[in-house]
Amino acid sequence: MSLRQCLLILFVFFPLSAWAKFFSAPILNDAYQLLDTNPEQARSIAEQYLEQRQISPEQDPNRIHINNDSERTIRTPISTVEAFQIKALANKRLDRNRESIESIKQAIALAKDFDLKSGYLESKLIYSSLWWNLTQDVDETNTILKEISVELDEYNKQIALNQKLYFGLALIHAEVESFQGNNSQAQQYYKQAMSHGSALNDPSSMIYYHISYGKYFLKNKQFDQALTELLSAYWQSIEADRSGQLATTNYLLGQLFFQRQVLDKALEHASQSAEFYGRYNNSEQLSNVLILIAQIHLKQGRFNLALVQYFNALDQEKEKNNVDKLISLRLDIANTYFLLYNYALSEHYLKQANNLNEYVNLPEQKACASLLQAKLYLVNNKTGLAVQQIQQAIKYSKKDNDLRLKLQSQKLLSKTYEKMGQYQLALKAQREYETLNSSIQAVQNEINEDVFRQQKSIIEQSLHYQGLEQQLKENHLQTRKIQKIAGFLLVLLTLISIYAFRQQQVNRFLKKRLHLLLNKYYTHPRSGLRNFRLLTERLPSSLQQSSSNIEQWHLGELINEPLSDRLRFTLFHVPMLQELYFTHGYQEGLSIEKEFGDYLSTVVTLPSRIYHFSDASFLYIEHKSDSTSNAQEMAETVQSWINNFKSKTMTDRTVNIGMVEYPFLPRAYTAINDRELIDILLMATNTACDISTEDSGSQWVHYRAIDNAPAASFASNNIISACKQAINQGLIKVMTSKH
């Protein structure tokens, strides 16, 4: 098989997409999985997706498609681009090159229209790969890749593009450079692909990389390096359960062992690949694998088995109508029949191949046909006609620069001239054969020299490792003594660590549980704010501490006067919260009350505090020094909180507010305790509610004791009665929203 044939088969075997991709629509994922096994079905799925659904441009172009009943008739722009990508890849595998290029151009145009940067670059990358595999046009492909590189660098400043794009771009660059024979540049691109592929954390991409690199070494006859890469791909495919990539790797390993003349291993890997592709009908890959198996059988001298595989491959190719393959297979069959001495059938299939050769310009196939025709003429002692056919074969092999066919032709020409008795011409042909063979051998020697250098390095490392192994044994005996002591200490330390870790876990669990219990205990179950239980728990101790500080100041134990900054207590009642449950139901009421609680927790900032006092009442406490506002401004602040709460269900924004300050009595700081202070606050709020009943709208009431109000006026078991009496006596000033 010629180098050109090997390259074409490897391109067919190799997927055009350089990475595993996950699509926005599940059905497109299914189509993508069918590309390597049933491209016709993959194309059909993509076309049905495009035909049966309407694009919805008013939606977010990058929105991920959701497969539910409401969206089975629409497709997003991103999924449309992906469908065209799959259609292009499927058409390429079906040898519909024009349709493939048209589909990927549609994907590029659509992605550009909707400003889908990632989809646009992916489509252009696929287009460059399709164009390269179709035309082998180095200049045009490099132009496309350069445009992609510029756009990739530009877009990367705006969006976080995936490493997969850089990975695919580097691999296509490597293939182009390899085709031109620029091996150093190709290997640089493979190194770039390796760095990007490692960052992907995607087994499929790394398998693809090893396959591509192994294919590169195989093309350059660097069999040891190719074996290393392909074996890496082989085992990674098994570990990642990538059956499609495993089949591709098996085929390439079969090619490698076939070229190295390790025929049993070549047949083993080729058979494994054929077993996978044999499950699918009309598979392009299956045809190539069958041809490889036939070539292996031919080398082993099992001509009948080779014929069976050639005919199976011919059946696969007849439906595809691939002229190149049909000619090559008929020539292989004719050559096999020739080796079986069945010259009639050999000439029959050669004639079929020549009939097809008249309509195409395939120098390699024409050279093979001429060479086989010459052999048939020699069997019939038609040496003159044989010489003409051999010279035709030499002409075609020079045109295609096929050294293998040229070498065979010169050798056969020398024997033919010798048979004709023209020894001078036979000697001339023999010398040309030896010159050509020596040049080929020189290349092979150079390859063998590189292999020998690598083997020398491996042997030196092996000898070095043997010395290290002996030294390791000696060190191992010495460390055994330490290991016994260390083992006991390690077990003891492990037990202590386990016990300590267990205790730590138990303590952490208990602390977490205690925190949760305290949080639930001191949190209102509906609004999520601090509850009245926390207020009654903390307020007495706080006021008691304040009273103690006042006494110390009076006794001269403190330099600065405490409580020079008063506290303002504001209790506001929102009637609408009670009516929510009756008008909107329990579930809706819970939801609104929780939203209201979350809202209040955002508007109140430290060191101020807010508590959920009762069902519809909230207590707000702040340092009066933090706010120089008077009572009316405070009431307006609370009203603004209620007004700014965004809720369509809270139609009534009425709020009743009661306000007092602590210390309540300026000259008697300790006369009013926490419970009495709350009673005064409730009395003020109740008064505001009564005013609101008479006059609709929000109301507020502020109680403030005069500076000379005596503590004796409040020395009563009923603080509410005492306050009412103090109000009548003028000891407490009452400010309301009405006066």
Side-chain angles (χ1 to χ4, degrees), residues 419-436:
K419 187 175 181 179
M420 297 172 63
Q422 299 181 12
Y423 300 110
Q424 291 292 336
L425 294 176
L427 181 60
K428 181 180 178 182
Q430 181 65 24
R431 286 177 177 173
E432 290 183 6
Y433 166 78
E434 290 176 355
T435 302
L436 187 61

Side-chain angles (χ1 to χ4, degrees), residues 325-377:
K325 280 283 191 69
L326 290 173
I327 295 173
S328 297
L329 281 169
R330 284 184 168 86
L331 288 174
D332 290 335
I333 293 172
N335 184 61
T336 307
Y337 274 123
F338 181 84
L339 295 174
L340 285 168
Y341 304 103
N342 193 335
Y343 303 126
L345 285 177
S346 177
E347 191 167 357
H348 171 72
Y349 282 98
L350 176 59
K351 185 177 180 181
Q352 290 184 356
N354 284 330
N355 290 337
L356 292 174
N357 254 333
E358 293 178 1
Y359 302 100
V360 292
N361 183 22
L362 299 173
E364 180 184 352
Q365 279 76 2
K366 290 184 177 181
C368 289
S370 298
L371 199 59
L372 182 57
Q373 185 67 65
K375 292 178 183 178
L376 289 171
Y377 281 144

Side-chain angles (χ1 to χ4, degrees), residues 1 5 258 286-299 302-318 325-337 339-340 349:
M1 181 178 290
Q5 284 179 313
F258 176 71
L286 178 59
S287 172
N288 294 318
V289 175
L290 292 175
I291 293 172
L292 175 59
I293 294 175
Q295 291 171 342
I296 296 171
H297 286 319
L298 203 64
K299 281 284 186 180
R302 296 185 282 189
F303 303 131
N304 289 320
L305 291 176
L307 276 176
V308 171
Q309 300 301 333
Y310 277 133
F311 279 120
N312 289 335
L314 186 61
D315 291 338
Q316 293 282 332
E317 292 298 334
K318 281 181 180 178
K325 280 283 191 69
L326 290 173
I327 295 173
S328 297
L329 281 169
R330 284 184 168 86
L331 288 174
D332 290 335
I333 293 172
N335 184 61
T336 307
Y337 274 123
L339 295 174
L340 285 168
Y349 282 98

Side-chain angles (χ1 to χ4, degrees), residues 433-484:
Y433 166 78
E434 290 176 355
T435 302
L436 187 61
N437 189 44
S438 62
S439 64
I440 296 175
Q441 194 62 41
V443 176
Q444 188 62 41
N445 289 339
E446 184 178 351
I447 295 173
N448 292 336
E449 181 182 350
D450 293 337
V451 173
F452 178 76
R453 292 179 185 275
Q454 294 174 7
Q455 291 176 346
K456 172 179 175 292
S457 176
I458 293 172
I459 292 172
E460 289 176 347
Q461 292 177 4
S462 176
L463 293 173
H464 179 64
Y465 290 151
Q466 289 179 1
L468 292 177
E469 184 179 0
Q470 183 63 31
Q471 185 179 356
L472 182 62
K473 289 180 180 179
E474 296 175 359
N475 294 337
H476 182 67
L477 293 175
Q478 296 177 2
T479 55
R480 286 289 295 275
K481 299 177 183 178
I482 303 173
Q483 285 178 350
K484 294 179 180 179

Side-chain angles (χ1 to χ4, degrees), residues 35-143:
L35 279 175
D36 292 330
T37 55
N38 197 337
E40 181 63 41
Q41 187 177 354
R43 183 191 63 82
S44 178
I45 292 174
E47 284 187 346
Q48 289 179 7
Y49 183 82
L50 292 171
E51 292 172 359
Q52 296 176 0
R53 305 189 184 207
Q54 297 295 325
I55 193 168
S56 180
E58 59 272 0
Q59 297 178 351
D60 181 9
N62 296 297
R63 184 178 64 85
I64 298 299
H65 179 80
I66 301 173
N67 189 23
N68 56 32
D69 293 336
S70 62
E71 298 203 2
R72 288 180 179 173
T73 59
I74 62 172
R75 47 184 165 88
T76 60
I78 185 65
S79 66
T80 306
V81 171
E82 293 168 346
F84 278 118
Q85 290 176 355
I86 293 174
K87 187 178 176 182
L89 295 173
N91 281 324
K92 176 57 182 174
R93 283 163 174 77
L94 295 169
D95 290 328
R96 299 171 182 171
N97 298 319
R98 179 178 297 177
E99 292 86 344
S100 176
I101 295 296
E102 288 177 357
S103 297
I104 199 61
K105 284 184 176 180
Q106 287 179 289
I108 293 171
L110 187 63
K112 189 174 183 180
D113 290 341
F114 285 97
D115 195 26
L116 304 175
K117 295 181 175 62
S118 181
Y120 172 73
L121 290 174
E122 281 182 10
S123 301
K124 288 202 71 172
L125 202 58
I126 295 174
Y127 172 72
S128 67
S129 181
L130 290 172
W131 184 259
W132 166 246
N133 291 328
L134 179 62
T135 64
Q136 304 292 295
D137 188 339
V138 174
D139 295 334
E140 182 65 24
T141 304
N142 280 330
T143 301

